[in-house]
Amino acid sequence: MLGTRRGRLRALAVTAVFAAVALTTGYGAVEPATPAVFAAGAPATPETPLRIGYGNAADTYGDLYLPASGSGPFPVVVLVHGGSWAQYRTLAQFASQSTALAQQGVAVWNIEYRRVNGAGGWPVTLTDVEQAVDALATVVQQRSGRRLDLRRVHLAGHSAGGHLAAWAAGRLAANPDARQAVRIRSLTVLAGVLDPVLAVRNGRDAAVRKLLGGGPDEVPDRYLEASPIEHLPRGIHISALHGEADRVVDVEQSRRYVGAARRAGNTTDLQILPGVGHAEFTAPASAAWATAWKTILDNVARER
C-alpha cells in the first residue's frame, strides 16, 4: 500500500502497535467498549479519559485524553465518530484510537453528539459538534488544568463524522482570526460524506435523508447549509483518506472536496488506499487506521 518495501514494513510495524493497544485495553475492532472514566478531580491519561459535558442534553459530552507526561500546553486533536449519524454508534468507536494518539503527546477530545433515531437530526447533530469544538476554550480547558494549546487544534472524523468535522471546520475556520479562542489548523477526513447532494443522487448514502429530513428537492436549504463542500474552511491543511474499495461512501466525495479545497487556497493531500473499504478506518489494528494515525500526527507536527 505504501509503495516501497520499507514503507510496507513500517506500516506492518505500526499496525502491530495498534493490535497491541487493542489487546491490552480490551477494545474490539469495530465498536470497542467505552473505557473507564476517572472520577471528578482525577487526572486524565491516554488510557483513562476525563468525561466532560459541553451541553445540557444527555449526549452532549466528550472524553478528554491527555498525555501521561508533560505539563503542556498540548496540541489538540478533536475526533468525531461516524455511523450514519445514527444512535447505534457512539464515541466508543474511537476510544482506542484516542489512546494511541494521546500516547504520542497530543490531547484528544473524542466527542459524542445527538444522533438520528435518538435526540438528534437536523440541525442539532451538526450544531452539537460545533459547540463541542467551541467548548475547548471553556469547560474543557478548565477541566484539563489549562493544559491545552488552543492555537493548535486539529479536527478529524470518519464517514458521517468526517462530514461533521468538515462542516465544523468550515464554520470555525472560514475566516481565520488571530483573536479567535480556538484556532483550527488542520482537517483529516476519513471516507467522509462531503457533498450530501451527491451522496443522495448517486444512491450511496440514504442516511443523509434521515439526517436532513428529506431529499435535496424537498429541503434544498438544509442541503446547502449542511454541505461541507459549499462551506470550505480557509487557511488550513486538509487531508482526505478514502478506501478505493469503499462501497458505502463514494470515493468521488473525497476527490471533489479536495479539489474544491485546493482551489479555495488550502494546502491539501488526497490518499486513495488500494484494497481498503469503508469500515477499516474504525479498526484500531488495521493498516487503514495506521495510515490515518500517521496523517493526523503529521498534520499536528506541521504546525509545531
Side-chain angles (χ1 to χ4, degrees), residues 123-191:
V124 297
T125 294
L126 286 79
T127 56
D128 278 357
V129 174
E130 182 180 14
Q131 184 180 0
V133 177
D134 283 339
L136 287 169
T138 56
V139 63
V140 183
Q141 179 71 300
Q142 293 165 7
R143 296 287 298 277
S144 78
R146 309 201 71 80
R147 298 169 69 190
L148 307 180
D149 186 347
L150 301 181
R151 312 305 295 168
R152 293 189 292 162
V153 176
H154 304 263
L155 304 186
H158 170 250
S159 191
H163 162 264
L164 295 170
W167 184 84
R171 298 273 289 192
L172 298 169
N175 297 294
D177 186 333
R179 294 171 297 178
Q180 289 178 328
V182 176
R183 183 70 181 271
I184 308 300
R185 296 291 188 169
S186 78
L187 168 68
T188 304
V189 184
L190 315 175

Side-chain angles (χ1 to χ4, degrees), residues 238-242 251 254-256 258-259 262 268-272:
I238 296 174
S239 298
L241 286 70
H242 217 117
V251 69
S254 290
R255 290 195 181 106
R256 289 191 182 190
V258 165
R262 186 179 299 120
T268 66
D269 63 271
L270 173 64
Q271 300 179 62
I272 307 299

